[in-house]
Amino acid sequence: MALSFSLSPSCLNTSMASGSASLMWFRKGLRIHDNPALEFASKGSNYLFPVFVIDPHYMESDPNAFSPGSTRSGLNRIRFLLESLVDIDLSLKKLGSRLLVLKGEPSQVLIRCLKEWDVKRLCFEYDTEPYYQDLDAKVKNYASAAGIEVFSPVSHTLFSPSDIIQKNGGKSPLSYQSFMKIAGQPSWASSPLSTVITSLPPVGSLRSCEISEVPTIKELGYEDIKQEELTPFRGGESEALKRLTEAIRDKEWVAKFEKPKGDPSAFLRPATSVLSPYLKFGCLSSRYFYQCLQDIYKNVQHTSPPVSLLGQLLWRDFFYTVAFGTPNFDQMRGNRICKQIPWKDNDELLAAWREARTGFPWIDAIMVQLCQWGWMHHLARHSVACFLTRGDLFVHWEKGRDVFERLLIDSDWAINNGNWLWLSCSSFFYQYNRIYSPISFGKKYDPNGDYIRHFLPVLKDMPKEYIYEPWTAPQSIQIRANCIIGKDYPKPVVSHDSASKECKGKMAQAYALNQKLNGLVSEEDLRNLRRKLDEEQKHEVKTKRQRKLPIGN
DNA sequence: GCATTGTTGACGAT
DNA sequence: ATCGTCAACAATGC
């Protein structure tokens, strides 16, 4: 199908003076197709400078991090980004241009480029994340003072988050249904107009700016890591379009797609499209994806949002909108939509979870897949997120969020935080009595435990009767399976039955407090509740011990 | 105030 | 495979 997006005529001012230069600043939106900023930058300019800035904060090796990578990102995602940059560089070269890679604090680098190259027009995709809101404000301030035209279109999402918030009376909708009601159809949904870029203006003189090619992982200062320990997913627009074509070739699969029915244990052929990392970096346009889906839907009976494939794109927009409209969205404190809950500060439990040694094979296998692939099925994410927070360990969702943010190749600020709020029953979803069992949830999809055997080879010879609960295997079986529990594979860090019961009790008390104080729970209120819960637990342990004592002693 | 709804729980009965 | 039960939440709409 043709790429078909129109820009409103007012955006297309082609009467620029000759000799003018435009700068296209790539951040997300690492694609040529459906890229309004790139298109606008290339129109009516004699020179085009396509720039990507390597932000040391994001890219520089950090030996103190808990996994290989920078302070903010694991190596898998850094590599995915570099692959995406190589791909866009190749595409630009085919169009008579190239990618100019620079290093440094992005606003400083950008401002220097604008001066040096006498840029008259600066184009970049609008970004709703707080980091870019701050950064972009600096760059825009400079540009407007210097008389540089700025074009910053919303093209990462289907809708403009600020439009939706405005339509909803200044607040973002807080449920999917209310979001859907307000959103309606995207403005561009039925305006097919092909805008395939066939050539680009040449890159002008670079003067004294230091430009490099896209660096390799090694050049960024990282050790080479064994291929088999890295993600099987390759970055880039070409790969994204290939994956999309493959996914939508099976029209029946697209029409019948129901997210909650997917199999989280499928790893040879994942149950979902795995387009999320490409959407995250903008290697794939969500709007192009949307139009491809509509193309298929119009001829066949199909599932509907929220469970359909289209529904997944709308979830993405939903979280982007709430995240944009909610101050302190990424933390509990000061977040008006987040329940205040006295989470435990327990680094040992957190480390056990993060390092895949909780002793629950289903949980640990998922965490290994996260570390190796940087991707796991949505329901697998639910399992481990629920386990860490309200289900078993009662560790703060922000801690789990940090681990996902670092390791996922598709980690996306709005969506990741939104889902952690959801799974921890801090917002959006509140039925804390519905807990995923770390034993039976995986078993119902994969009774043989093939997923566990693949990601936890230490358990590969454990009989299927015990693979979800290896600590219950008789010693003789453990010996035969070459896996002694407590030595080769850990014992469970908690008993799921008692831990989940305890969690439910804590959630009930925390909810009651939030309700009583109308959500205005102070640090002190939370401290008091935490103390109360600790005392109750001590008492509980004591009475249990007493019950165990032989009668008559 | 009350009924309904909410992307995806576990478990047991049919 | 589909249902009711368990125990039970908040937001929404009437």
Side-chain angles (χ1 to χ4, degrees):
Chain A
M1 83 173 261
L3 293 173
S4 45
F5 301 100
S6 63
L7 296 167
S8 68
S10 63
C11 298
L12 293 170
N13 176 8
T14 49
S15 60
M16 292 288 290
S18 68
S20 69
S22 292
L23 193 156
M24 169 64 199
W25 181 18
F26 285 99
R27 304 102 64 83
K28 294 181 185 130
L30 299 177
R31 62 175 183 268
I32 306 293
H33 75 279
D34 181 36
N35 192 332
L38 176 64
E39 198 184 328
F40 188 58
S42 70
K43 290 237 164 96
S45 302
N46 294 57
Y47 301 107
L48 172 68
F49 295 90
V51 163
F52 185 88
V53 183
I54 303 247
D55 186 344
H57 190 41
Y58 188 85
M59 304 281 265
E60 205 167 86
S61 177
D62 178 2
N64 294 322
F66 72 77
S67 78
S70 68
T71 308
R72 305 185 103 200
S73 173
L75 201 50
N76 266 329
R77 196 167 69 254
I78 289 174
R79 208 174 64 139
F80 194 97
L81 169 59
L82 293 181
E83 286 164 352
S84 302
L85 293 176
V86 167
D87 188 61
I88 202 146
D89 184 38
L90 276 173
S91 302
L92 288 170
K93 280 173 178 158
K94 282 181 197 153
L95 296 168
S97 185
R98 64 167 285 202
L99 188 66
L100 308 171
V101 179
L102 294 107
K103 237 183 224 176
E105 195 284 312
S107 68
Q108 285 173 17
V109 171
L110 247 290
I111 289 166
R112 172 134 190 270
C113 292
L114 293 172
K115 281 184 196 160
E116 196 77 2
W117 300 334
D118 195 21
V119 170
K120 294 281 185 274
R121 185 193 273 178
L122 170 64
C123 304
F124 57 91
E125 183 175 62
Y126 185 80
D127 199 307
T128 49
E129 281 180 31
Y131 181 76
Y132 286 102
Q133 290 280 307
D134 289 351
L135 178 60
D136 295 355
K138 285 185 219 161
V139 175
K140 274 186 200 162
N141 281 344
Y142 170 79
S144 60
I148 297 167
E149 179 190 7
V150 175
F151 181 66
S152 186
V154 175
S155 50
H156 188 61
T157 45
L158 303 175
F159 301 91
S160 156
S162 64
D163 279 1
I164 302 261
I165 289 166
Q166 209 173 351
K167 270 197 208 167
N168 194 44
K171 280 199 224 154
S172 71
L174 292 176
S175 76
Y176 189 80
Q177 295 306 332
S178 55
F179 171 81
M180 292 289 280
K181 260 187 225 160
I182 288 146
Q185 294 286 309
S187 55
W188 42 264
S190 53
S191 51
L193 193 115
S194 178
T195 57
V196 175
I197 294 174
T198 50
S199 76
L200 291 170
V203 176
S205 165
L206 298 172
R207 315 231 340 218
S208 70
C209 283
E210 269 193 47
I211 304 296
S212 74
E213 295 290 320
V214 177
T216 62
I217 278 284
K218 254 191 171 159
E219 283 163 355
L220 282 175
Y222 296 101
E223 301 283 322
D224 253 348
I225 288 190
K226 271 180 270 158
Q227 190 70 27
E228 59 266 28
E229 283 167 17
L230 287 170
T231 180
F233 304 112
R234 299 276 74 82
E237 179 183 23
S238 309
E239 186 66 26
L241 294 174
K242 213 161 79 188
R243 250 200 122 74
L244 175 70
T245 308
E246 207 118 295
I248 62 178
R249 184 182 297 152
D250 190 346
K251 299 209 162 37
E252 198 184 312
W253 181 82
V254 172
K256 290 187 173 160
F257 186 90
E258 275 184 80
K259 187 66 164 276
K261 291 201 176 155
D263 175 357
S265 71
F267 61 95
L268 294 172
R269 189 180 188 278
T272 56
S273 64
V274 198
L275 287 170
S276 53
Y278 305 93
L279 289 165
K280 178 245 150 68
F281 283 109
C283 300
L284 174 64
S285 156
S286 62
R287 313 194 297 181
Y288 178 50
F289 191 7
Y290 179 98
Q291 292 210 334
C292 290
L293 290 177
Q294 296 292 20
D295 241 28
I296 294 172
Y297 286 156
K298 69 182 178 215
N299 297 318
V300 290
Q301 223 188 355
H302 57 86
T303 52
S304 300
V307 297
S308 65
L309 214 44
L310 175 63
Q312 307 317 300
L313 280 178
L314 293 162
W315 276 110
R316 179 171 175 270
D317 264 59
F318 168 67
F319 283 127
Y320 264 88
T321 306
V322 190
F324 184 58
T326 308
N328 303 315
F329 185 70
D330 59 357
Q331 57 190 62
M332 180 174 83
R333 285 266 132 224
N335 179 348
R336 66 181 166 82
I337 69 165
C338 181
K339 288 246 183 290
Q340 304 299 306
I341 293 167
W343 302 110
K344 254 189 246 173
D345 192 17
N346 188 323
D347 287 341
E348 272 140 58
L349 288 176
L350 173 68
W353 177 82
R354 191 180 63 204
E355 290 159 18
R357 46 182 178 80
T358 66
F360 289 93
W362 172 246
I363 299 298
D364 293 339
I366 294 168
M367 295 306 286
V368 171
Q369 191 185 20
L370 169 61
C371 289
Q372 289 182 4
W373 287 29
W375 181 91
M376 63 285 210
H377 187 274
H378 189 60
L379 290 177
R381 301 182 192 199
H382 278 214
S383 286
V384 295
C386 178
F387 184 85
L388 179 72
T389 58
R390 67 182 169 86
D392 292 83
L393 304 186
F394 217 69
V395 169
H396 205 306
W397 62 268
E398 290 170 12
K399 303 275 188 179
R401 182 274 320 279
D402 288 341
V403 173
F404 272 31
E405 189 167 291
R406 175 176 186 80
L407 297 177
L408 284 170
I409 54 171
D410 62 15
S411 98
D412 183 302
W413 185 79
I415 299 169
N416 191 31
N417 280 290
N419 277 309
W420 276 96
L421 283 164
W422 187 296
L423 260 298
S424 64
C425 281
S426 297
S427 196
F428 307 115
F429 176 81
Y430 307 96
Q431 286 174 263
Y432 56 76
N433 52 317
R434 292 193 187 170
I435 291 174
Y436 291 87
S437 161
I439 297 147
S440 45
F441 186 73
K443 209 188 270 180
K444 93 184 152 195
Y445 298 97
D446 179 18
N448 191 46
D450 293 336
Y451 176 80
I452 293 169
R453 290 172 211 283
H454 183 265
F455 286 106
L456 291 175
V458 66
L459 287 164
K460 72 179 177 2
D461 294 322
M462 189 61 73
K464 68 173 198 286
E465 290 74 20
Y466 303 106
I467 192 152
Y468 285 87
E469 302 166 271
W471 62 92
T472 64
Q475 201 68 21
S476 60
I477 302 268
Q478 293 184 24
I479 291 165
R480 212 175 312 147
N482 224 345
C483 180
I484 308 301
I485 302 308
K487 181 174 150 255
D488 303 311
Y489 181 73
K491 289 179 184 163
V493 284
V494 292
S495 142
H496 173 62
D497 282 347
S498 58
S500 59
K501 207 174 272 177
E502 225 173 82
C503 284
K504 279 187 221 175
K506 287 179 181 172
M507 290 299 281
Q509 296 211 35
Y511 269 42
L513 184 68
N514 277 267
Q515 195 170 48
K516 191 178 122 197
L517 300 176
N518 206 11
L520 298 169
V521 181
S522 70
E523 299 263 7
E524 200 191 337
D525 297 326
L526 218 50
R527 258 202 308 277
N528 289 338
L529 178 57
R530 197 173 278 123
R531 199 175 306 131
K532 186 177 163 221
L533 292 171
D534 281 350
E535 266 160 37
E536 278 175 15
Q537 199 184 327
K538 262 180 224 150
H539 187 248
E540 175 79 7
V541 170
K542 214 165 103 191
T543 47
K544 250 193 210 152
R545 208 177 290 141
Q546 279 168 355
R547 258 183 262 137
K548 274 187 195 160
L549 288 172
I551 298 162
N553 262 4

